[in-house]
Amino acid sequence: MASTSKANLTEEEEEEEEEDEGQEVQHFDDFTLASSWERFISEIEAICRQWLADGPKNLIEKGAVHLVSSKNMYKVKSELKHATKIYSMEYYFEINNNGKIADWNSTLHDMQLCFGVKEFLVILPQSASGVVLDAPEASKLLSAVAIALSNCSSLWPAFVPVHDPSRKAYIGIQNMGTVFTRRFEADRIGSQVPIKFMHLEGLYELFVSKFAYSTLDHSMHLFKVHLIMKLTYQTLPDDDDDDIQEADAENAESEASAGGDNRNRKHWDDDCPWSEWYSAENPVKGFDLITTWSEKMVESSLEMAEMENASPHDAEKWILAPNIDCSKEERIGFASQLQLLVNALDMSFEAQFMEDFVSVENSGSDNLKSSMVIPPPTVLDRVLKDLFHEGLQFPDSAKGERKSSRAIKGAPVECLFAQFCLHSLWFGNCNIRAIAVLWIEFVREIRWCWEESQPLPKMSANGSIDLTTCLINQKLQMLAICIEKKRELNEEFQDCIGSNDDVSTHMEEDIQVREESTSFYAQSQGFDGKRDSPLTPEVLHKSNTVVSKFSKNSEDVVSADKSPSDSIRRGSAGPVGSMKLLKSYQSLHAPFTQDAPLMTEDMHEERLRAVEAFGDSFDFSAQLERDTLSSDMSSFKAANPDTVFEDFIRWHSPGDWENDESEANGPSKNLTEGMKDDWPPRGRLSQRMSDHGNLWRQIWNDAPVLPAYEQKPLLDPNREGEKILHYLETVRPHQLLEQMVCTAFRASADTLNQTNFGSLSQMTTKMDQLYVTMASALRPLQVNLLSGNSETIEDLRRLCVVFEHVEKLLTLAASLHRKFLQAPRIAEAIFSDYYNFYLPTMGVGSADVDVQKIDAEKEFDMKLQLRMNERQVVSNMFSQPSANQSWRKVLSMGNLLNGHEPILREIIFSMSDSATGSHYAASSPRGYQQDIETYRMYICGTSNDLRVALSVTSYD
C-alpha cells in the first residue's frame, strides 16, 4: 500500500520528501535530558530565561499582577509538572529594583521584610495547603530551582513553603554571584511562646546562638550585634465601650425605673448636629502608633534588658496609621432615609388624597399594608409632641444655612414644615403609608392651633411671606400671621366688652395716642412709595432730628402747618417735603396706611393669570387692587382734609401727574425757595387718569375719610386661615411629597452643614458642590414638572448616592477634628489622604457590583510621621486602661506606653564581617572590600506569637 502511494508521487513531490527526510536526520535527541528530574530543571530554566529576557516593564505589559499589599510589587507565575505533581512558580519583582531595601517600609512584601531581599522566586505545589509537607521533596525542589538559576546566571533567591501553612515556614537559597551563598529559613510559634523569648534579652541570645559556640555562656561574652526595632501600639478598638459601661453602671437604677430607656448612654457624636436624628458609627476605629529605633550597636544582654525598659518617647520616629472603616455596607443616615422618601414620592401618584393610603377602602391598601408598616400610636404621639408641644421655638433661619441653600425651594431647617419632613424620614421606615398617617395628624394639630388661636410653633408671626420657600411653608407662614391677627381681634373684642361703659373715653384716648405717635414719623422721607415702613427706634431718632430742622429753617411752612385745618388731621405720618395741597396751600401729609395684604406664591400666580387673561387693562388692574387702593385713599383723605384727587395722584402715582416745564420737581425743591410765587403748581393728570369714567376716580369718590387704624383690615384672617387649612387637608399626595423631598434634602444638608470639621478645605468644597448638585436635581420638583415613572426619580436616587458619599466624608471629618483639636495638621493630612483614596468611588452607587470588586482589593493604608510637638497629643489617646480593659491584658512585654504594651514587636538583628581579614576573605574576589551580612534574623511577634526568619551567608 505504501509502495503504491509512493509510485503515484510526482518528481517534485519526491524531491520535497527527500529534503524533509534529510532535515529529520539533522535533528537528534539529547539523551542527557532523559530523566524527568532533568527535564523539570530544564523547564524551570527556560521559564527563568524568558522572564530575565523580558525584564520588569515587558512583564507588566504582558499581564503581571499588581499586589495590593505592596505599591511597587508585581507577580507573574507559570505552571510546571514533575511526575504526577503540578507546581506553580511565581516571580515577584519591582519596577525599580535599585538601591538598598528599606527595612520598615510599609509597602514591602512579607518575604522582603523577613529575608531582606528585593526580587525572588517562590515555587509551591498546586494543592489545598500550598506547602510542601515532605522535607526531602522540599530540598529536592529547592535544589532544582537553584540549579536552573545557576544555569541562567541569575541571582534571584528562591523559596519553598514547608510544614503547616499556619506556620508560614520557608526554606530558601540564593547564589550571591561570588563564592558566597545565602540560605534562608523561617518558622513560627503560634502559642505557648517560651517566657525567655518574650523579652529582648532572650531574643538577643537566640540570635547570638546561631553563630556562637554552643558551650559559651552568651551573657558573659560580648558580641557586636546591629539592631533596629519597631514597636506597634494600638488604641482600644471601641473608645466608647467603657464610657458606655460606666454610664450604664451609674444610671442603672434610673434606667430601670424609666423602663430601660438607653438615651442616657454617651456616644462619640452626642454633640454633633445629626445626633438628634441618628447616631453614626465612628468611622475612625482606632489608630496604630508605630515607634521605630534606628540602627544601633548592642554588645550584651544587659543592654537589651535596659532597652526593654526604655520609653516609646525615646524612639527616633513616631508614625501614625489610622484605622478607618472603608466597608461598603449601607449606613443608616440622612442619605439612606432620603432614598426611602424618594421611593415614597414614586408611589405618591397612585392616589388622589393622602387618606387613600390609609383607608381600608383603597383598592391597593392590602398590598400597601403587607409591605408598609405604620409605627404604634406611642411613636406618633412622641413625634407630634416634639413638633407642637415642646414650647414656642421661633426659628433661626440663618442657623446652619448656606447662601446656596436658598436656591433649593424647600423650608429653613428650623421651621415647622422642615422639622416635619425630618421626622418623616425616621417615622417608621419612611413609607408612603407612614407619611400619610403622620401628615393627617400633623394637619389636625395645625387645625387645633387655628381653632384655639394658639401660636403656631416654630413659625414666626412677624414679617412677610418668603416666596423663595416651598408653598406649604408659605401657607404656614401666612397661617401663623392669621392666627396672630385673629388673636388681636379677639383681644380687642374682649376689651370692648369689658369697657362698654366708657367707649367714647377709650376711643378719644386711643386717637390721642395715635396722633402723638404720628409726630415721630420722618417728615422728609419723600413718601414716594406706596407703603410705609414700620416704625423702628432708628427711624424715630432720625424723625426727631428732621422735625427740629424744619421748625428752625422753615418758619413759613411751620406757620402754615399750624392752620386750623391741622387740628382735624388723623393718621398723618408727617409732611412730604415741600409738597402742598392744590386747593388750600397746606402741606401735603403722607398717611399711615395698611400693609398690603400678604399673598403666597399660588395667589400671585392666580392674579398674574387673571391679568394675562384680561390683557393690560388699567381698570382691571385697579379692580384687583381695589381694596388696597380704597384703603390708601381713605387714609390720605384723613391725613389731608382739604385734599382733592389730584393731590392723591401726585403722592401715590407721581408718574400720572404731568408737570409743566417751568415747574420743578416737588420733593427735590428747596423748602424756602419762592414757594408762594410758584403757587399753584402748573400741571395736569395723565391721559389715563383723566379719562371719563376712570376707575381710580370712582374709588376716590366712594372712599370714606378714615385713618388706617379705623379701617377694616385688608387681610381677613378668618377667611385666609380657612383657605390655608383647606389646602393642607386636600393637597395631592405627589404635590406634598415633591415639597417634602425638596425640604428634606435642604434640611438634611443644612443640619450636616452645622458640623464643625475645622479648616478642611476639601470638605468645604464638597459641601458647596452638594448644594449646587441638589439645586440642579431638585429643580423639576420645584416647577411641578414631575409625573409618574419620570426620569427625575432616577436622578433623585443618584442624588441620594452623592449625598451618602458627602455624609460619610463629613462624619470622618468631624471625627478627626474632634480627636486632633490640638494637632490640626494630623487631621488635615489624614483626611486629605483618605479623600484622594475615596474620590474615585464618589458619584458611583454603593450597590454597584463592579465598583465593589475593584475596591475590595484596595484598602486605605496611610502612614503619617509625627512631629515632636504632636507626640503628646497622640500619647494622650492611649489613656490608662481601666479595670474592665486591663483584666484581659497580660503585660508580659516591656516598652509600655501609658500602660499599653505593644501589639506587635519587630526586631532585625544583623551581623557583618569584612571580606578581608576573615575566613570569608580566603577565596573572595581580588579587591572585594564590601562588608558581608553574614547573619540576619527578623523577629516578629507578641507574648502569644513569635515568628523568626534567619538568613545565613556561607562560603561554598
Side-chain angles (χ1 to χ4, degrees):
M1 190 73 179
S3 61
T4 304
S5 61
K6 184 79 174 178
N8 293 333
L9 294 175
T10 61
E11 295 180 358
E12 294 180 357
E13 291 175 344
E14 290 178 358
E15 292 177 358
E16 291 178 358
E17 187 175 2
E18 291 176 356
E19 291 178 359
D20 293 338
E21 291 177 355
Q23 291 178 358
E24 290 179 0
V25 172
Q26 293 176 5
H27 290 278
F28 60 92
D29 293 332
D30 186 359
F31 292 99
T32 60
L33 301 179
S35 68
S36 62
W37 168 251
E38 291 172 325
R39 284 195 295 270
F40 182 58
I41 295 175
S42 179
E43 290 180 17
I44 296 175
E45 180 181 343
I47 296 172
C48 291
R49 287 185 183 274
Q50 184 63 47
W51 287 343
L52 284 169
D54 286 338
K57 293 184 179 179
N58 290 332
L59 288 176
I60 293 175
E61 293 177 359
K62 291 183 177 181
V65 179
H66 179 248
L67 300 184
V68 178
S69 59
S70 178
K71 293 182 180 179
N72 302 321
M73 183 68 70
Y74 292 83
K75 178 183 73 172
V76 292
K77 67 178 181 178
S78 181
E79 291 185 359
L80 298 166
K81 187 174 183 181
H82 176 54
T84 60
K85 292 187 176 181
I86 299 177
Y87 296 93
S88 176
M89 188 167 66
E90 300 174 344
Y91 170 46
Y92 295 81
F93 63 94
E94 294 182 354
I95 299 177
N96 181 14
N97 55 6
N98 297 325
K100 184 180 179 181
I101 186 148
D103 294 309
W104 299 132
N105 191 341
S106 61
T107 63
L108 292 180
H109 188 272
D110 180 63
M111 300 291 285
Q112 292 177 308
L113 190 57
C114 286
F115 300 110
V117 297
K118 289 195 69 76
E119 50 187 354
F120 55 92
L121 288 176
V122 177
I123 187 166
L124 66 160
Q126 290 191 352
S127 61
S129 63
V131 297
V132 180
L133 300 178
D134 185 40
E137 179 188 356
S139 300
K140 186 177 179 181
L141 196 59
L142 192 61
S143 299
V145 178
I147 294 171
L149 291 175
S150 179
N151 294 339
C152 298
S153 300
S154 172
L155 304 181
W156 294 342
F159 299 93
V160 176
V162 294
H163 304 310
D164 186 80
S166 63
R167 290 170 61 175
K168 297 181 180 179
Y170 289 89
I171 60 172
I173 192 171
Q174 179 185 15
N175 179 11
M176 302 291 289
T178 58
V179 294
F180 304 118
T181 302
R182 292 177 72 186
R183 298 186 181 275
F184 307 96
E185 185 177 1
D187 208 343
R188 172 177 173 266
I189 301 176
S191 61
Q192 296 181 349
V193 177
I195 297 177
K196 180 180 180 180
F197 297 146
M198 294 182 186
H199 301 282
L200 295 181
E201 183 178 0
L203 296 175
Y204 168 80
E205 293 178 359
L206 173 65
F207 176 67
V208 171
S209 67
K210 298 301 178 181
F211 56 84
Y213 294 109
S214 59
T215 57
L216 293 178
D217 184 0
H218 301 153
S219 61
M220 300 301 294
H221 290 76
L222 301 179
F223 300 95
K224 295 184 178 180
V225 174
H226 296 276
L227 168 115
I228 56 177
M229 184 171 67
K230 179 172 75 171
L231 302 178
T232 302
Y233 301 87
Q234 190 175 71
T235 57
L236 296 176
D238 294 317
D239 295 336
D240 297 330
D241 281 354
D242 293 302
D243 293 337
I244 293 174
Q245 292 172 4
E246 292 173 5
D248 289 345
E250 294 173 359
N251 301 322
E253 297 180 359
S254 61
E255 288 183 1
S257 61
D261 189 4
N262 292 330
R263 289 190 176 186
N264 291 328
R265 288 188 172 185
K266 296 180 180 179
H267 297 277
W268 76 274
D269 61 346
D270 276 347
D271 56 350
C272 292
W274 64 76
S275 61
E276 181 182 356
W277 307 103
Y278 67 93
S279 180
E281 289 290 335
N282 194 338
V284 183
K285 298 303 181 183
F287 294 91
D288 289 348
L289 174 62
I290 304 169
T291 61
T292 61
W293 278 261
S294 59
E295 184 172 340
K296 63 182 299 184
M297 185 75 71
V298 180
E299 296 184 352
S300 66
S301 301
L302 182 60
E303 288 187 43
M304 296 301 298
E306 293 177 353
M307 190 171 182
E308 189 166 354
N309 295 324
S311 169
H313 288 274
D314 299 333
E316 278 75 12
K317 290 183 181 180
W318 275 30
I319 298 175
L320 191 66
N323 179 14
I324 297 177
D325 183 13
C326 303
S327 64
K328 299 297 179 182
E329 297 179 1
E330 183 178 356
R331 304 179 184 180
I332 300 300
F334 283 129
S336 62
Q337 305 311 112
L338 289 170
Q339 179 74 52
L340 298 175
L341 185 62
V342 171
N343 295 338
L345 170 63
D346 194 20
M347 297 189 63
S348 64
F349 294 90
E350 298 180 5
Q352 292 294 318
F353 300 98
M354 294 302 292
E355 288 81 1
D356 295 340
F357 290 106
V358 185
S359 174
V360 295
E361 298 177 357
N362 184 21
S363 58
S365 61
D366 294 337
N367 295 330
L368 290 174
K369 287 185 177 180
S370 63
S371 60
M372 300 184 180
V373 181
I374 299 177
T378 54
V379 178
L380 178 62
D381 292 341
R382 186 165 63 246
V383 172
L384 294 176
K385 180 180 178 181
D386 184 73
L387 287 172
F388 289 94
H389 305 297
E390 293 295 336
L392 289 178
Q393 302 167 355
F394 293 105
D396 181 7
S397 59
K399 183 179 180 181
E401 186 178 77
R402 288 182 178 238
K403 293 182 179 179
S404 51
S405 174
R406 300 186 67 84
I408 303 171
K409 202 173 181 64
V413 64
E414 296 296 325
C415 291
L416 180 61
F417 183 61
Q419 292 295 303
F420 165 81
C421 293
L422 291 176
H423 274 289
S424 299
L425 295 178
W426 308 100
F427 187 68
N429 57 349
C430 194
N431 61 71
I432 188 65
R433 291 189 68 230
I435 293 173
V437 169
L438 183 59
W439 173 255
I440 292 171
E441 296 300 323
F442 177 74
V443 175
R444 285 178 182 172
E445 289 290 334
I446 291 177
R447 177 168 282 282
W448 181 88
C449 292
W450 164 251
E451 292 176 349
E452 299 297 327
S453 298
Q454 295 298 316
L456 209 57
K458 301 179 177 65
M459 297 299 297
S460 175
N462 300 321
S464 58
I465 306 299
D466 187 357
L467 299 180
T468 63
T469 61
C470 63
L471 183 58
I472 292 180
N473 186 69
Q474 297 177 36
K475 296 287 186 182
L476 294 177
Q477 279 184 308
M478 176 170 278
L479 184 62
I481 296 173
C482 290
I483 291 175
E484 184 64 25
K485 297 288 186 184
K486 184 179 177 182
R487 292 183 63 188
E488 292 176 357
L489 292 176
N490 291 339
E491 290 176 359
E492 291 179 1
F493 180 73
Q494 294 297 332
D495 291 343
C496 290
I497 294 178
S499 58
N500 192 31
D501 297 336
D502 196 16
V503 175
S504 58
T505 304
H506 174 74
M507 292 182 61
E508 291 177 0
E509 292 177 354
D510 183 62
I511 292 173
Q512 182 179 0
V513 170
R514 293 178 184 269
E515 292 294 338
E516 290 176 356
S517 66
T518 60
S519 64
F520 292 99
Y521 196 84
Q523 301 184 27
S524 64
Q525 299 301 313
F527 300 110
D528 312 3
K530 183 178 177 181
R531 296 289 176 272
D532 298 316
S533 303
L535 291 178
T536 62
E538 295 179 358
V539 173
L540 291 175
H541 174 72
K542 294 180 180 178
S543 302
N544 291 331
T545 306
V546 175
V547 170
S548 62
K549 179 179 178 180
F550 275 96
S551 62
K552 294 179 181 179
N553 299 335
S554 307
E555 296 180 0
D556 53 341
V557 175
V558 173
S559 62
D561 289 341
K562 290 182 179 179
S563 63
S565 63
D566 284 332
S567 60
I568 58 175
R569 292 184 189 274
R570 292 187 300 165
S572 170
V576 183
S578 61
M579 293 184 66
K580 301 293 182 180
L581 299 176
L582 295 175
K583 299 299 184 182
S584 61
Y585 189 61
Q586 300 296 320
S587 294
L588 188 151
H589 283 237
F592 284 114
T593 59
Q594 293 193 62
D595 293 332
L598 300 175
M599 289 189 293
T600 56
E601 185 179 20
D602 58 335
M603 298 169 66
H604 281 287
E605 292 177 354
E606 181 181 356
R607 178 162 295 198
L608 181 61
R609 286 194 296 269
V611 172
E612 292 175 351
F614 286 91
D616 295 332
S617 172
F618 174 70
D619 287 344
F620 178 74
S621 299
Q623 187 68 40
L624 292 177
E625 301 287 346
R626 185 183 186 95
D627 292 342
T628 304
L629 198 58
S630 176
S631 174
D632 290 349
M633 290 178 176
S634 295
S635 300
F636 189 82
K637 285 182 177 181
N640 300 279
D642 300 328
T643 187
V644 292
F645 177 66
E646 286 77 3
D647 292 324
F648 177 76
I649 295 300
R650 291 168 61 213
W651 168 73
H652 189 279
S653 181
D656 286 309
W657 178 258
E658 299 176 356
N659 289 325
D660 292 341
E661 295 181 359
S662 60
E663 184 179 6
N665 293 331
S668 62
K669 189 175 180 181
N670 193 327
L671 296 178
T672 59
E673 183 183 352
M675 308 238 349
K676 295 183 179 180
D677 296 338
D678 294 337
W679 191 259
R682 292 180 290 275
R684 68 188 69 82
L685 293 174
S686 64
Q687 179 65 34
R688 66 172 187 169
M689 286 296 179
S690 58
D691 287 343
H692 179 70
N694 178 265
L695 185 60
W696 280 50
R697 189 176 290 275
Q698 294 178 14
I699 297 173
W700 171 265
N701 295 333
D702 296 338
V705 182
L706 286 176
Y709 54 82
E710 294 182 8
Q711 298 174 15
K712 178 183 177 180
L714 292 176
L715 176 66
D716 186 347
N718 292 295
R719 180 185 63 189
E720 295 299 333
E722 289 296 337
K723 288 170 63 177
I724 292 170
L725 287 168
H726 176 74
Y727 169 81
L728 297 177
E729 292 168 346
T730 60
V731 63
R732 295 291 184 264
H734 71 91
Q735 294 177 348
L736 170 63
L737 267 296
E738 287 173 4
Q739 299 180 64
M740 285 183 63
V741 168
C742 290
T743 301
F745 269 101
R746 173 176 169 174
S748 300
D750 286 345
T751 301
L752 294 178
N753 188 51
Q754 301 172 24
T755 305
N756 185 10
F757 51 79
S759 57
L760 301 177
S761 58
Q762 296 103 325
M763 194 67 250
T764 303
T765 303
K766 214 63 194 173
M767 286 299 297
D768 290 335
Q769 293 175 354
L770 176 63
Y771 278 103
V772 174
T773 305
M774 287 194 303
S776 176
L778 297 173
R779 190 167 291 113
L781 275 65
Q782 301 173 13
V783 292
N784 299 322
L785 295 178
L786 190 63
S787 59
N789 300 323
S790 172
E791 293 182 0
T792 305
I793 298 295
E794 295 303 320
D795 292 339
L796 293 176
R797 291 194 173 104
R798 284 189 286 270
L799 177 62
C800 292
V801 175
V802 175
F803 199 102
E804 177 186 5
H805 291 312
V806 176
E807 190 173 14
K808 286 182 179 179
L809 285 176
L810 188 68
T811 307
L812 174 63
S815 178
L816 291 174
H817 176 67
R818 292 160 57 89
K819 292 180 181 298
F820 298 106
L821 285 173
Q822 304 300 323
R825 186 193 74 91
I826 300 178
E828 293 173 6
I830 295 176
F831 184 81
S832 179
D833 269 32
Y834 185 82
Y835 180 84
N836 295 331
F837 162 81
Y838 190 70
L839 191 61
T841 65
M842 297 190 66
V844 182
S846 58
D848 195 322
V849 178
D850 293 334
V851 173
Q852 281 190 345
K853 289 182 178 178
I854 294 173
D855 293 340
E857 302 176 357
K858 186 178 180 181
E859 296 181 357
F860 178 67
D861 184 18
M862 177 196 180
K863 302 291 188 295
L864 176 65
Q865 184 170 341
L866 301 179
R867 299 171 181 173
M868 291 300 296
N869 60 346
E870 296 168 341
R871 290 191 178 189
Q872 190 58 46
V873 176
V874 175
S875 177
N876 293 338
M877 298 171 62
F878 293 85
S879 57
Q880 290 288 344
S882 63
N884 292 331
Q885 296 166 344
S886 60
W887 70 268
R888 60 181 181 268
K889 285 186 174 295
V890 181
L891 301 179
S892 56
M893 302 169 63
N895 305 113
L896 300 182
L897 176 62
N898 298 339
H900 296 261
E901 71 176 11
I903 63 165
L904 184 65
R905 178 169 58 193
E906 298 175 81
I907 304 173
I908 296 179
F909 291 109
S910 61
M911 190 85 173
S912 299
D913 267 326
S914 175
T916 58
S918 69
H919 67 279
Y920 286 96
S923 300
S924 61
R926 183 173 298 177
Y928 193 88
Q929 299 295 330
Q930 184 180 359
D931 287 349
I932 298 176
E933 188 179 65
T934 56
Y935 293 88
R936 182 185 189 274
M937 179 181 285
Y938 171 77
I939 300 173
C940 171
T942 62
S943 57
N944 299 318
D945 187 5
L946 182 65
R947 186 182 183 191
V948 178
L950 176 67
S951 65
V952 179
T953 303
S954 61
Y955 163 68
D956 294 335

